[in-house]
Amino acid sequence: MIMRSLMCLTLPIAVSVGGSAEASTKARSAGHNSGLASVYSYKAGRTASGERVHPTGMTAAHRSLPFGTRVKVTNRRNGKSVVVRINDRGPFVRGRIIDITPAAARSLGFSGLAPVTIEVADRS
């Protein structure tokens, strides 16, 4: 009897906490997001989406956006922007929000790391 009462008290709390965390994650991935972008080097092979590696392409890796999503990446230091297509998973380093190809980084005017804002441009 006591256990049933405790379950009734804790269940709504657990549901509401889980729901709000999920909603905030969806809101973050659907809108603007700021953080560090890094340039990643491709090794011969395929990306997580199964595509062949193209270091000269305008593509990127993101942890959760669906493959094929086009994302506008803006360098916050100089205001330059480029649209890249998500075709890989990453970055796996804490504090970084996107890994981009060397070609995309050149278009944004940096090499290595840069503070950026990303915005979903088109979901394919």
Side-chain angles (χ1 to χ4, degrees):
M1 184 76 152
I2 294 174
M3 283 300 279
R4 187 185 298 175
S5 298
L6 288 176
M7 285 177 53
C8 291
L9 291 174
T10 58
L11 184 60
I13 295 169
V15 171
S16 67
V17 170
S20 66
E22 182 180 336
S24 68
T25 301
K26 285 181 183 178
R28 253 185 289 131
S29 64
H32 300 275
N33 203 351
S34 296
L36 284 178
S38 56
V39 180
Y40 70 117
S41 61
Y42 285 101
K43 296 188 169 130
R46 298 194 178 271
T47 64
S49 67
E51 295 179 28
R52 284 181 127 0
V53 171
H54 295 288
T56 58
M58 294 297 193
T59 59
H62 191 273
R63 288 185 194 102
S64 60
L65 288 172
F67 295 136
T69 302
R70 295 192 184 283
V71 178
K72 179 181 176 184
V73 182
T74 303
N75 184 336
R76 293 193 333 235
R77 287 187 184 138
N78 61 20
K80 292 183 179 181
S81 296
V82 67
V83 176
V84 295
R85 184 176 46 83
I86 304 298
N87 72 340
D88 207 358
R89 289 292 170 230
F92 300 110
V93 177
R94 187 180 182 136
R96 299 185 191 170
I97 60 169
I98 195 165
D99 280 337
I100 61 174
T101 59
R106 277 191 300 278
S107 294
L108 289 171
F110 78 95
S111 61
L113 297 174
V116 297
T117 300
I118 64 172
E119 177 182 358
V120 173
D122 178 32
R123 291 185 188 259
S124 296

